[in-house]
Amino acid sequence: MRTPLIAGNWKMFKTLDEASSWADDIAKRVSDITRPEILVCPPCLYVHALAESLRGSPVRVGSQNVFWEDSGAFTGEVSAPMLASAGASHVIIGHSERRQYFGETDETVNKRLFAAIRGGLTPIVCVGETLDQREAGKTNTVIEAQIKNGLAGIDPGQAGLLVIAYEPVWAIGTGKTATPETAQGVHAFIRGLLRELFGQEVADRIRILYGGSVKGDNIDALMAKADIDGALVGGASLDAASFERIIRFKGK
Ligand code: PGA
């Protein structure tokens, strides 16, 4: 079955020194782990240093964003070939903070997705509804549009490489996690959409992570659900001990 993936998203936190100490610490803590897969997504400035210092450990390194062109006159942007050459294996695409503050749309998500695949990076495509959308009963409609438009034009062969992260916006950084039942309901809905788009076999292979206030004390119950294949962890990934606890979830 699907290998669980626990991914940390540092957002815009830590200096280089802090990042290096974290890497030394986590490498010692998880050196025995072969399952789940472990990923950390620091600010892209630290991707190379972390990829070097975590080489030989089970922790892989990803980026929090990627531009859709491979090279060119695009001041301030970073491309998939650059990230891959710096040691990144994965990239987060369409995080709700990028949608909220930086004008990310399903269309730009789609362009970044193609760039990631071209560059050999595993894309982690984020979807999720806001509180207003949930209260208006629009959760499924919103998720369906994000999945169908974000993944437009992807063929089933490429889709097998995808990771999806369901992150309800109202649960991110708020301490309000979706209940395991609520999350499982949306994950099952997403898997149904993936089945419609890519067929049963591919849909069964795609990992769907939950994100939004994941902590040591709620990860076990979340991971016990059939369609929750891992977690995208913000705040609790910044501390190596609390990230380790999440990596060592019980069940599955
Ligand atoms: P949080 O963030 O765990 O701090 O809620 C999750 C995310 O935004 O990926």
Side-chain angles (χ1 to χ4, degrees):
M1 271 308 273
R2 299 178 289 272
T3 305
L5 170 63
I6 302 293
N9 169 18
W10 281 2
K11 313 191 178 187
M12 200 178 72
F13 289 103
K14 290 193 191 293
T15 62
L16 182 56
D17 281 351
E18 290 163 352
S20 303
S21 319
W22 182 98
D24 293 344
D25 194 357
I26 203 76
K28 285 184 207 121
R29 289 172 181 276
V30 301
S31 60
D32 60 311
I33 291 189
T34 51
R35 191 186 147 93
E37 279 177 23
I38 309 167
L39 175 73
V40 60
C41 299
C44 72
L45 182 60
Y46 310 148
V47 162
H48 187 244
L50 260 59
E52 290 295 310
S53 61
L54 290 167
R55 195 192 291 269
S57 92
V59 185
R60 310 189 67 193
V61 181
S63 176
Q64 298 172 16
N65 190 22
V66 64
F67 190 54
W68 51 79
E69 295 292 343
D70 292 347
S71 63
F74 301 104
T75 301
E77 294 295 326
V78 174
S79 72
M82 292 173 185
L83 290 166
S85 73
S89 54
H90 293 62
V91 59
I92 298 172
I93 298 175
H95 189 278
S96 66
E97 285 150 19
R98 299 225 52 97
R99 294 178 190 260
Q100 194 178 344
Y101 305 126
F102 302 101
E104 187 84 74
T105 62
D106 293 335
E107 195 189 359
T108 55
V109 164
N110 189 251
K111 290 161 89 167
R112 293 183 211 280
L113 176 56
F114 276 97
I117 292 171
R118 221 168 40 239
L121 299 172
T122 300
I124 302 176
V125 176
C126 301
V127 298
E129 80 288 1
T130 63
L131 186 58
D132 284 354
Q133 290 165 336
R134 170 159 288 269
E135 285 176 346
K138 292 190 186 143
T139 299
N140 287 3
T141 323
V142 168
I143 302 286
E144 180 165 357
Q146 289 174 337
I147 293 279
K148 291 197 169 159
N149 299 328
L151 307 190
I154 297 287
D155 65 44
Q158 296 168 322
L161 306 169
L162 281 177
V163 177
I164 304 291
Y166 168 57
E167 299 204 303
V169 177
W170 47 270
I172 294 178
T174 57
K176 279 190 234 155
T177 328
T179 63
E181 292 67 31
T182 302
Q184 165 59 26
V186 180
H187 281 229
F189 176 70
I190 293 172
R191 198 163 319 274
L193 293 171
L194 297 172
R195 191 180 309 123
E196 231 179 83
L197 291 171
F198 307 118
Q200 179 84 51
E201 200 210 321
V202 171
D204 283 344
R205 270 210 318 268
I206 298 176
R207 284 165 306 171
I208 308 176
L209 314 183
Y210 170 78
S213 298
V214 172
K215 303 262 175 337
D217 60 11
N218 56 33
I219 186 69
D220 299 344
L222 287 161
M223 290 304 290
K225 295 293 177 190
D227 289 290
I228 301 185
D229 306 315
L232 184 54
V233 185
S237 72
L238 293 169
D239 175 67
S242 68
F243 194 46
E244 179 193 4
R245 167 63 187 89
I246 293 168
I247 291 164
R248 293 188 189 276
F249 67 84
K250 293 171 191 72
K252 269 219 179 75

